[in-house]
Amino acid sequence: MQNKSLKKLLLLAILFGYASFAVSAKPSNSMGLKVAIEKDAPPYVDNRAKRGLEVDVILKSLPGYSITFIQLGWGKIPDAMDRGIANAEANSIKHDDPDKYYYSSYYIGFVNYAISHKGKGYKIDSVDDLVGHDLIVWKNAHLVLGPEFKRLFSPDASGRKNYVETQNSKDQVLEFWNNPDSIIIIDKSIFMNFSIIEGHSMNKVDIHKIFLPVTKFKMAFKGEKARDDFNKGLALLCSKGEYANMLKEYGVPKKANVCP
């Protein structure tokens, strides 16, 4: 009888040990992240942030974390941590007090073009040629599209006369198709996706070959450890060639590759 009792106690101890290990193997609360990210903009963010290139890069760079995406307009992402609704921000533009947060390596790039309605005959050979047109961009685009664009289209600059900023990519594309005189500055992959969804053909537009920089973004984190873990995971995606494979999977040009 004594031996049977000892065996039962030993079995219970083993089972308790396995249960404790299983619990400890799950991400703790400190490994949970609420990430403020833009509203759907395929192929980068799609299906309410359940898939897309940008979503996949974030998830695969932080495999040990439990991540919840909070979708916001572009203008509302930069203060999501200040407002306490997130502890990480995608597409980060540095805050007024950058020392409060931890910034990652560049993790995503958007390949931008100036696009107009076919048949308008607009001569757009430089950023200067955009001045005077009905220009449709995203919120705070002047901060990331290069020094010449910033000079001409910052708030109170001369080029802002016919300048429209939208809060998400879908509204930006819809605004373009509703205004036959407009020019849109946008990532070509995003423009194609939303235009096709709305029943428009790329044969109805002209793509102007002016130099616009690939806009590369960092993540901003409230905690240093999460930032460091993200950078390590991102570096691994790059070194294994997985980042390049994801670009192919989502039909994003090689030019958007942020890997060193």
Side-chain angles (χ1 to χ4, degrees):
M1 289 291 291
Q2 191 175 6
N3 285 341
K4 286 183 178 179
S5 296
L6 285 171
K7 285 179 181 178
K8 285 181 180 178
L9 287 171
L10 183 60
L11 182 60
L12 285 170
I14 291 170
L15 289 172
F16 179 77
Y18 276 122
S20 299
F21 175 79
V23 170
S24 65
K26 292 179 181 178
S28 65
N29 289 336
S30 63
M31 299 283 272
L33 278 180
K34 291 182 179 179
V35 178
I37 197 168
E38 69 267 32
K39 293 186 178 180
D40 281 5
Y44 295 90
V45 179
D46 199 7
N47 193 22
R48 290 177 290 182
K50 289 184 175 65
R51 68 181 309 274
L53 174 63
E54 190 172 353
V55 170
D56 284 359
V57 170
I58 294 170
L59 292 175
K60 290 183 179 183
S61 295
L62 290 167
Y65 285 71
S66 174
I67 295 174
T68 301
F69 289 107
I70 300 165
Q71 291 186 280
L72 300 169
W74 285 315
K76 295 181 179 179
I77 292 174
D79 65 351
M81 289 193 289
D82 285 340
R83 289 187 286 137
I85 63 173
N87 49 11
E89 293 169 0
N91 307 124
S92 178
I93 295 173
K94 285 206 172 184
H95 296 73
D96 293 336
D97 186 6
D99 294 335
K100 285 174 64 177
Y101 303 110
Y102 298 91
Y103 295 89
S104 74
S105 304
Y106 289 116
Y107 78 100
I108 200 76
F110 299 90
V111 184
N112 301 292
Y113 289 86
I115 302 172
S116 67
H117 297 262
K118 188 172 283 296
K120 286 295 175 180
Y122 293 148
K123 189 175 185 297
I124 309 294
D125 296 321
S126 68
V127 174
D128 289 86
D129 294 332
L130 295 170
V131 175
H133 290 283
D134 293 353
L135 197 62
I136 304 169
V137 299
W138 63 93
K139 186 72 174 176
N140 293 322
H142 67 281
L143 297 176
V144 293
L145 280 172
E148 190 64 9
F149 195 94
K150 186 176 182 180
R151 181 181 69 82
L152 292 168
F153 298 105
S154 288
D156 301 323
S158 59
R160 295 279 286 212
K161 185 178 179 183
N162 303 312
Y163 188 89
V164 175
E165 290 185 332
T166 65
Q167 283 286 354
N168 59 71
S169 297
K170 183 177 181 179
D171 286 350
Q172 191 185 359
V173 175
L174 289 175
E175 185 82 22
F176 171 82
W177 287 112
N178 287 334
N179 182 353
D181 296 322
S182 63
I183 296 175
I184 189 171
I185 305 293
I186 194 170
D187 174 273
K188 186 178 174 183
S189 299
I190 293 174
F191 179 80
M192 285 177 61
N193 272 274
F194 276 125
S195 292
I196 290 167
I197 289 169
E198 293 298 319
H200 298 287
S201 167
M202 292 298 287
N203 292 329
K204 294 158 66 177
V205 300
D206 287 321
I207 298 174
H208 302 277
K209 295 182 179 179
I210 64 170
F211 174 76
L212 289 168
V214 174
T215 49
K216 297 178 181 179
F217 290 94
K218 300 179 178 184
M219 292 279 292
F221 293 90
K222 202 139 194 173
E224 185 176 13
K225 184 181 186 307
R227 188 276 309 274
D228 291 345
D229 289 343
F230 180 83
N231 280 346
K232 288 174 187 174
L234 179 62
L236 193 60
L237 291 182
C238 287
S239 66
K240 292 169 64 178
E242 194 169 350
Y243 196 101
N245 289 337
M246 285 191 285
L247 291 177
K248 289 180 187 175
E249 178 187 347
Y250 284 103
V252 174
K254 292 179 182 179
K255 197 175 179 181
N257 198 330
V258 298
C259 295

